[in-house]
Amino acid sequence: MDQIYENFYSTLIVEERWMMLLQGLGATMIIALCAALIGVVLGFLVAMVRATNEMTLRGKKCRSFGDVILKIIDKICGFYITVIRGTPMLVQLMIMYYIVFASSRNGMLAAILSFGINSGAYVAEIVRGGIMSIDKGQFEASRSLGFNYRSTMIHIILPQALKNVLPALGNEFIVLFKETSVAGYVAIMDLTYMANLIISRTYDAFFPLIIIALIYLLIVLVLTFLLKKLERRLRNSDH
């Protein structure tokens, strides 16, 4: 019992090491929130391009210069999704840090962009799937009422699609938050990096790793609770 208390004391109290974990948590939260924002914006833009191409040009010949541009952008978006989803997150992070940011070695910016771009590919496919799941009859009905394509997407299709994909988007954000634990590979002092730093000083891995595992678990539980509450509110708004 004395040994357990001594290890716990040396992990958190000595040299105020709990402040190190708090600092690491702050870095983790900044990376996760900024990357989630980038992922949502990028994902929605890519999803709109791919859904628009699929609904308006699939199986049809390009009749205008705008159609050609849309086709090209759609191919670029498809390539982006294939590459990002087909390569490991850690490899993408290291490429961003050691190659793209080789001159500046800005680890925080490299991590935010890496996680944001990675998340954007998954968000894009989630949102695109939600859009394509809406009955095509609703497109035709809205057009017969005088809505153009843009108005149909904004006022009719997207609100329904977002309700359908909200659980999947929530899971993606939770996965993104947990994936940030590899940010320490590019010398970012995140939660996992700080835990490893404490281990190197105390030579005890049990308490540092258990503590950060509990922190991650607690935050995931809070996020899950908030997402379920939002889902219930959206369902109640339908009645």
Side-chain angles (χ1 to χ4, degrees):
M1 196 67 183
D2 292 339
Q3 184 64 38
I4 293 176
Y5 174 77
E6 182 180 342
N7 291 341
F8 180 82
Y9 184 84
S10 63
T11 298
L12 293 180
I13 309 303
V14 174
E15 298 178 352
E16 294 187 337
R17 287 172 183 156
W18 63 273
M19 287 291 294
M20 296 170 61
L21 294 177
L22 192 61
Q23 179 184 349
L25 177 60
T28 296
M29 295 300 293
I30 290 173
I31 294 171
L33 290 174
C34 293
L37 181 60
I38 294 173
V40 168
V41 174
L42 182 59
F44 266 83
L45 291 176
V46 172
M48 290 302 298
V49 169
R50 304 209 72 201
T52 300
N53 177 75
E54 192 166 345
M55 289 186 293
T56 60
L57 296 178
R58 186 175 184 181
K60 299 179 182 179
K61 293 182 179 180
C62 297
R63 297 181 178 179
S64 65
F65 180 72
D67 291 346
V68 174
I69 295 298
L70 179 60
K71 280 283 187 182
I72 294 173
I73 297 176
D74 177 69
K75 293 295 183 183
I76 295 173
C77 291
F79 177 76
Y80 153 70
I81 290 173
T82 300
V83 171
I84 294 300
R85 297 178 69 186
T87 54
M89 178 66 248
L90 180 56
V91 174
Q92 296 169 22
L93 176 63
M94 296 178 74
I95 289 174
M96 185 68 73
Y97 181 72
Y98 290 109
I99 298 178
V100 178
F101 286 88
S103 58
S104 64
R105 292 293 174 88
N106 189 329
M108 182 65 75
L109 182 57
I112 290 173
L113 290 177
S114 297
F115 289 112
I117 292 171
N118 180 273
S119 179
Y122 291 93
V123 171
E125 286 299 277
I126 291 171
V127 175
R128 185 190 67 84
I131 293 173
M132 301 309 299
S133 68
I134 305 301
D135 189 356
K136 292 183 179 179
Q138 297 197 36
F139 286 94
E140 298 170 359
S142 64
R143 301 304 286 270
S144 66
L145 292 173
F147 286 89
N148 57 26
Y149 180 81
R150 180 180 178 183
S151 298
T152 300
M153 290 298 295
I154 293 175
H155 299 293
I156 298 175
I157 304 304
L158 282 179
Q160 297 180 72
L162 288 177
K163 289 182 181 180
N164 293 340
V165 304
L166 184 61
L169 283 177
N171 289 333
E172 166 57 25
F173 297 147
I174 290 173
V175 170
L176 170 64
F177 173 72
K178 292 188 293 185
E179 280 185 341
T180 59
S181 61
V182 302
Y185 278 90
V186 293
I188 296 176
M189 295 184 178
D190 68 327
L191 193 57
T192 306
Y193 182 93
M194 289 302 189
N196 286 328
L197 193 60
I198 292 174
I199 291 172
S200 68
R201 295 180 180 180
T202 63
Y203 301 102
D204 174 50
F206 180 80
F207 277 110
L209 294 181
I210 291 298
I211 288 171
I212 67 167
L214 291 175
I215 292 173
Y216 276 110
L217 177 60
L218 178 61
I219 294 175
V220 168
L221 290 175
V222 172
L223 291 175
T224 303
F225 171 77
L226 294 175
L227 287 169
K228 287 183 177 179
K229 193 170 182 179
L230 179 59
E231 288 177 39
R232 285 196 299 269
R233 179 167 295 183
L234 289 175
R235 283 197 300 267
N236 292 336
S237 66
D238 292 334
H239 303 298

